[in-house]
């Protein structure tokens, strides 16, 4: 009996090598203009700058928590730019690059992590749902949503699709496997976009799976593929194809974007405790931004003036989000009773009234809260 | 007025709601071709087709989660969980997602879904299939929990649940499906969520129950009337929100109360009712509030043991007698 294991080298779909060389792929032709390529470069640089600013804000006590996307810019920008206006994305909590592509302002993401709002942005307006913190749960929401899209007849010509983002850790969860099965059985128009960043907090890939993750799809009966997640061109091309496949009513696809979490899991984590520095150095050679820069410089599609302008824009963005974050208004105590239920609820009304009375009892009290 | 079973009332209401609103659809295991383990969905696949009646893989977390997603799109899924015991497999999707998405998405995305599921023992289904764990959901802000005890209530409350914009756990009971009651013909009453009902007026003592135990309480009240004891029966109907006002008002009138519940005593629904009574009617109480509940053991499988574990009409009568003796009445 032969068992396919993770040790075998799986095929990696790549259109742009780490050195910035273009590669043709028969199944994923991509014809981008120079302006489009420069746009992807700008997206990635700005998103990285915004992300590093958010880490810094958290270090200064301005945010409760931040989950850095450092290293995953190509997977997120490539797939994010593949989405159509009518498509819907269900993110986990690290998809700041996809949020950027969906027109969600950085300030809105900071508002969420600062805790001044639970909303932050309108999911319908942006085609980008709010972050889900529980690992893998959103794969089921995306599947149910996609089944609804299918039920409403929005597949076929001019149809729309749903994409669910999650990490390698989520592939071990029951929710994700149930979502795969439901989507397969119902032929739901959903793309499962797994960013395999090699680490589920401290659990490495080989502690999570014996087979390359993309091969899981075949057991459920739909296509799976592994793309170089540090290659923005390939990420864009495969996601575009998978979304079109879904929109046309051909069902789900699992995309495993093979990438690397260059930073910590979140700001509460210290990766030096569980992984060796050499690994990070190795992945730096495959950096998503420098390879596109090398390509643009090599072809002349981007010159020093362009790179300098993007860098300057990134600095301005960093400054801007720092200011915006600090000027976000604090929520008020009574806000805790908002948005518990969509409809009026006696318990909530009673608690709100009691708490309002309690707060009112401090009004007019002296500086020492005296009586 | 027609006399129909609790089962029929649920089925008729599902059918009518599906005709009324194209967005209402059913999702669950065995609900289509098999027409439901308890035949609540009988005939509905034939009438509405697979688009509206979806048989799912046997994966509760999966189909509850998919229903959450469909509800986020604006559909109104009515999920059937074969029994409330299986909700344990779906509990993350219920408690962490259905109940919290509205708040965690800043009030922008409501989750208008219903989870219909029967609780209850007495069917010799063993310890893992006979539980009353509605308490878990009654505890959770963001959820609503309804527990009708009669066919008419089942109908008006299921209508309310389906039309409500919040996630509702709709508790049925294996021991109620075959019970009969009057339901007005062509009824379209929508129950007010969060209202208990005084189903029998009385002056000596308040007997409080919900779901199957509300029915048992009514039977017990009938029997005690023959002894000259005037029992007021409060059917909670809604466990979250809980109608504290109706409970307190009744106890202020009668001066004593017994709570009847099918779940376990410690930390149970009855504990919450007793606490509500002492908060709202302490000065009116003439005796401690008593609770009658199931024995605190995993439900036995053997019939005589199962019967012994469940609260009985006799145990309620005893509790009423003891309470009245405590206030100085000669009874029993």
């Amino acid at each position: 009996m032969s068992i396919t294991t993770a040790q075998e080298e799986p095929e990696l779909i790549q259109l742009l090598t780490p050195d910035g060389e273009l590669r043709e792929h028969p199944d994923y032709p991509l014809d981008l203009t120079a302006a489009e390529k420069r746009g992807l470069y700008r997206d990635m640089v700005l998103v990285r700058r915004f992300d590093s600013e958010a880490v810094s804000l958290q270090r200064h006590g301005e945010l409760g928590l931040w989950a850095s996307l450092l290293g995953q810019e190509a997977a997120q920008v490539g797939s994010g730019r593949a989405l159509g206006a009518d498509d819907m994305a269900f993110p986990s909590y690290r998809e700041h690059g996809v949020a950027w592509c969906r027109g969600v302002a950085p300030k809105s993401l900071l508002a969420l992590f600062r805790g001044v709002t639970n909303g932050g942005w309108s999911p319908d307006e942006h085609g980008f749902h709010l972050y889900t913190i529980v690992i893998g749960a959103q794969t089921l929401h995306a599947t149910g949503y996609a089944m609804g899209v299918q039920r409403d007849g929005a597949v076929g010509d001019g149809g729309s699709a749903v994409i669910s983002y999650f990490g390698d850790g989520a592939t071990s969860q029951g929710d994700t496997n149930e979502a795969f099965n439901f989507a397969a059985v119902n032929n739901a128009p959903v793309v499962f976009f797994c960013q395999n960043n090699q680490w589920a907090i401290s659990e490495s890939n080989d502690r999570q799976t014996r087979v390359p993750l993309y091969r899981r799809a075949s057991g459920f009966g739909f296509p799976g593929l592994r793309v170089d997640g540090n290659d923005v061109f390939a990420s864009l091309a495969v996601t575009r194809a998978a979304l079109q496949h879904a929109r046309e009513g051909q069902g789900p696809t699992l995309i495993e974007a093979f990438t690397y979490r260059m930073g910590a899991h979140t700001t509460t984590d210290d990766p030096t405790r569980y992984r060796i520095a050499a690994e990070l150095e190795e992945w730096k050679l495959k950096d998503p931004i420098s390879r596109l820069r090398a390509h643009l410089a090599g072809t002349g599609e981007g010159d020093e003036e362009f790179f300098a302008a993007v860098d300057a824009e990134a600095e301005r963005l960093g400054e801007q989000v720092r200011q915006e974050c600090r000027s976000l208004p604090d929520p008020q105590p009574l806000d805790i009773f908002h948005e518990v239920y969509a409809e009026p609820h006696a318990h909530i009304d009673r608690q709100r009234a009691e708490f309002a009375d309690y707060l009112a009892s401090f009004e007019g009290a002296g500086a020492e809260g005296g009586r | 007025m027609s006399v129909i079973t609790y089962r029929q009332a649920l089925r008729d209401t599902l059918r009518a709601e599906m005709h009324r609103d194209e967005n209402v659809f059913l999702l669950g295991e065995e609900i289509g071709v098999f027409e439901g383990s308890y035949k609540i969905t009988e005939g509905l696949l034939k009438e509405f087709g697979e688009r509206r009646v979806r048989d799912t893989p046997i994966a509760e977390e999966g189909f509850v989660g998919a229903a959450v997603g469909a509800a986020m799109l604006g559909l109104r899924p009515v999920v059937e969980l074969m029994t409330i015991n299986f909700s344990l497999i779906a509990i993350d999707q219920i408690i962490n997602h259905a109940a919290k998405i509205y708040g965690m998405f800043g009030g922008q995305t409501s989750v208008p879904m219903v989870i219909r599921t029967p609780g209850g023992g007495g069917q010799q289904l063993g310890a893992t299939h006979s539980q009353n764990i509605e308490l878990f959901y009654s505890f959770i802000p963001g959820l609503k929990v309804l527990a009708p005890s009669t066919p008419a209530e089942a109908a008006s409350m299921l209508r309310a649940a389906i039309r409500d914009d919040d996630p509702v756990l709709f508790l049925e009971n294996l021991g109620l499906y075959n019970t009969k009651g009057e339901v007005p013909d062509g009824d379209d009453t929508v129950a007010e969520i969060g209202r208990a009902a005084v189903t029998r007026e009385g002056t000596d003592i308040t007997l409080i129950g919900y779901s199957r135990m509300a029915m048992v309480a009514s039977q017990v009240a009938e029997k005690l009337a023959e002894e000259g004891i005037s029992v007021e029966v409060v059917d909670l109907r809604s466990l979250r929100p809980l109608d504290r006002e109706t409970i307190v008002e009744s106890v202020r009138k009668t001066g004593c109360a017994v709570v009847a519940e099918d779940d376990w005593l410690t930390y149970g629904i009855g504990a919450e009712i007793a606490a509500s009574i002492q908060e709202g009617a302490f000065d009116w109480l003439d005796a401690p509030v008593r609770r009658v509940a199931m024995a605190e053991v995993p439900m036995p499988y053997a019939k005589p043991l199962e019967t012994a574990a469940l609260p009985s009409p006799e145990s309620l009568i005893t509790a009423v007698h003891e309470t009245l003796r405590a206030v100085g009445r000669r009874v029993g």
Side-chain angles (χ1 to χ4, degrees):
Chain A
M1 190 174 74
S2 111
I3 296 172
T4 308
T5 68
Q7 282 79 44
E8 287 176 38
E9 198 57 42
E11 194 206 351
L12 187 71
I13 298 163
Q14 190 182 66
L15 302 182
L16 186 65
T17 69
D19 299 330
E21 300 294 325
L22 273 187
R23 270 192 192 174
E24 293 284 323
H25 193 290
D27 298 333
Y28 301 102
L30 188 67
D31 193 14
L32 295 174
T33 65
E36 285 168 332
K37 290 178 185 175
R38 285 194 299 267
L40 295 170
Y41 177 81
R42 175 180 169 271
D43 283 340
M44 290 198 291
V45 171
L46 294 186
V47 162
R48 179 172 287 187
R49 181 67 189 87
F50 157 56
D51 182 78
S52 71
E53 191 59 42
V55 171
S56 166
L57 284 164
Q58 195 281 336
R59 294 291 182 237
H60 286 93
E62 300 288 344
L63 301 176
L65 182 81
W66 186 256
S68 171
L69 65 38
L70 186 64
Q72 298 174 223
E73 295 86 353
Q76 294 196 13
V77 168
S79 62
R81 288 296 177 203
L83 287 163
D86 292 336
D87 296 332
M88 178 58 90
F90 282 78
S92 70
Y93 46 77
R94 203 188 297 281
E95 273 67 70
H96 321 312
V98 186
W100 170 269
C101 296
R102 300 305 275 168
V104 175
K107 183 174 91 167
S108 304
L109 288 162
L110 295 176
L112 196 68
F113 281 88
R114 194 175 167 90
V116 306
T117 173
N118 281 338
W121 61 89
S122 159
D124 290 339
E125 190 184 314
H126 294 284
F128 185 74
H129 259 285
L130 273 292
Y131 282 176
T132 294
I133 310 297
V134 177
I135 302 300
Q138 76 281 3
T139 57
L140 277 170
H141 304 158
T143 300
Y145 194 98
M147 286 165 67
V149 168
Q150 182 184 41
R151 175 192 182 280
D152 289 347
V155 279
D157 288 340
S160 61
V162 180
I163 189 167
S164 178
Y165 288 89
F166 52 99
D168 43 299
T171 61
S172 302
Q173 287 282 6
D175 279 25
T176 305
N177 288 277
E178 291 181 30
F180 287 175
N181 193 41
F182 272 62
V185 165
N186 292 289
N187 209 40
V190 59
V191 174
F192 295 108
F193 194 92
C194 174
Q195 291 168 81
N196 179 355
N197 67 15
Q198 313 302 321
W199 292 92
I201 309 187
S202 69
E203 303 278 350
S204 58
N205 249 221
D206 57 5
R207 286 190 178 277
Q208 299 177 69
T209 187
R210 274 197 70 177
V211 297
L213 294 174
Y214 75 96
R215 285 191 194 153
R216 298 259 181 102
S218 69
F220 290 97
F222 57 89
L225 53 92
R226 177 179 277 187
V227 64
D228 183 346
N230 284 14
D231 171 355
V232 70
F233 293 168
S235 296
L236 173 66
V238 298
T239 311
R240 197 178 262 174
L243 287 166
Q244 190 55 26
H245 185 81
R247 285 188 206 107
E248 286 168 359
Q250 297 184 67
T253 303
L254 171 61
I255 297 172
E256 178 191 3
F258 206 71
T259 180
Y260 190 71
R261 192 191 78 209
M262 294 172 90
H265 167 67
T266 69
T267 44
T268 61
D269 170 44
D270 173 12
T272 62
R273 292 174 56 202
Y274 53 81
R275 65 186 191 191
I276 55 170
E279 187 180 277
L280 176 60
E281 294 310 312
E282 201 179 301
W283 277 92
K284 276 183 181 169
L285 302 174
K286 304 176 196 169
D287 186 88
I289 296 180
S290 46
R291 83 169 71 175
L292 181 53
R293 182 174 173 139
H295 172 71
L296 291 173
T299 60
E301 289 165 306
D303 54 18
E304 283 310 313
E305 195 183 338
F306 165 71
F307 296 129
V310 172
D311 287 346
E313 188 183 2
E315 276 319 298
R316 285 197 303 277
L317 177 67
E319 174 63 25
Q320 179 198 326
V321 298
R322 192 157 59 242
Q323 299 295 341
E324 285 175 338
C325 179
R326 290 183 172 144
S327 59
L328 287 166
D330 279 341
Q332 296 304 304
L334 282 174
D335 292 352
I336 62 175
F337 299 109
H338 291 174
E339 299 158 5
V340 182
Y341 289 95
E343 304 219 14
H345 193 288
H347 292 197
I348 297 297
D349 294 345
R350 189 173 59 107
Q351 289 184 77
R352 186 190 289 113
E354 284 173 6
F355 198 43
D357 285 348
Y358 170 74
L359 293 175
S361 72
F362 293 100
E363 280 173 17
E368 291 160 17
R371 44 188 82 185
Chain B
M1 199 70 84
S2 308
V3 175
I4 59 172
T5 59
Y6 190 97
R7 169 184 288 110
Q8 183 73 41
L10 291 171
R11 186 188 302 141
D12 291 350
T13 306
L14 284 176
R15 185 171 174 271
E17 288 299 295
M18 290 175 77
H19 277 296
R20 185 188 61 79
D21 183 352
E22 163 73 16
N23 285 327
V24 176
F25 74 101
L26 312 183
L27 191 73
E29 55 203 18
E30 316 293 357
I31 65 166
V33 176
F34 194 65
E35 302 186 313
S37 286
Y38 298 99
K39 300 293 173 247
I40 309 299
T41 53
E42 192 173 56
L44 297 181
L45 174 64
K46 208 169 288 173
E47 182 168 353
F48 294 97
E50 284 186 15
R51 184 165 171 269
R52 306 286 300 281
V53 180
R54 304 293 291 259
D55 266 325
T56 67
I58 310 303
E60 285 78 6
E61 174 85 349
F63 62 77
V64 171
V68 169
M72 287 164 79
L73 179 65
L75 296 175
R76 291 188 175 264
V78 181
V79 177
E80 177 176 299
L81 283 174
M82 195 181 292
T83 79
I84 196 169
N85 305 281
F86 303 170
S87 73
L88 294 171
I89 305 161
I91 204 162
D92 181 66
Q93 284 293 344
I94 300 172
I95 290 182
N96 267 337
H97 303 285
K100 295 190 178 67
I101 279 173
Y102 182 72
M104 291 189 77
F105 284 18
Q108 301 183 91
T109 307
S110 62
V111 182
M113 67 186 285
V114 179
I115 298 172
R116 286 185 37 248
T117 189
Q123 318 292 317
Q124 274 202 283
L125 294 172
T128 58
H129 285 54
S130 305
Q131 301 174 94
N132 295 279
I133 49 176
E134 55 275 14
L135 173 67
F136 299 174
Y137 307 105
S138 306
F139 184 58
I140 302 299
L143 289 180
K144 293 175 178 171
V145 180
L146 305 184
S149 70
T150 67
E153 279 180 3
S156 67
M157 291 170 71
L158 183 56
R159 258 177 237 122
I162 291 172
R163 298 181 196 185
D164 196 88
D165 282 341
D166 289 309
V168 177
L169 187 111
F170 190 87
L171 181 72
E172 301 165 7
N173 190 289
L174 301 180
L176 288 175
Y177 282 144
N178 287 332
T179 59
K180 289 184 176 175
E182 286 189 339
V183 176
D185 295 322
D187 186 28
D188 196 38
T189 317
V190 180
E192 186 185 346
I193 290 179
R195 279 276 158 258
V198 175
T199 52
R200 180 190 180 96
E201 295 205 15
T203 53
D204 294 335
I205 189 166
T206 301
L207 198 46
I208 301 158
Y210 65 92
S211 194
R212 186 185 80 94
M213 286 311 272
M215 177 191 73
V216 174
S218 293
Q219 293 166 351
V220 164
E222 194 77 36
K223 205 157 186 184
L224 288 168
E226 294 165 15
E227 299 176 21
I229 298 172
S230 170
V231 177
E232 177 145 308
V233 178
V234 175
D235 180 353
L236 294 176
R237 309 195 327 159
S238 170
L239 301 178
R240 187 175 193 95
L242 180 65
D243 183 359
R244 292 188 168 86
E245 289 73 20
T246 298
I247 299 165
V248 163
E249 197 181 320
S250 174
V251 177
R252 285 184 178 190
K253 185 172 82 174
T254 61
C256 54
V258 171
V259 188
E261 53 190 321
D262 257 338
D263 63 338
W264 292 300
L265 187 88
T266 305
Y267 301 107
I269 302 278
E272 178 60 34
I273 306 299
S276 300
I277 292 171
Q278 70 86 16
E279 279 166 6
F282 184 78
D283 289 336
W284 284 261
L285 277 177
D286 296 322
V289 177
R290 292 188 70 101
R291 291 174 287 156
V292 176
M294 187 191 148
E296 296 206 37
V297 298
M299 183 69 84
Y301 173 67
K303 193 67 194 167
L305 300 183
E306 184 179 42
T307 306
L310 282 167
S312 63
E314 293 71 29
S315 58
L316 249 70
I317 289 170
T318 304
V320 168
H321 283 166
E322 285 175 2
T323 303
L324 289 175
R325 275 191 212 105
V327 303
R329 269 190 63 162
R330 294 163 63 96
V331 291

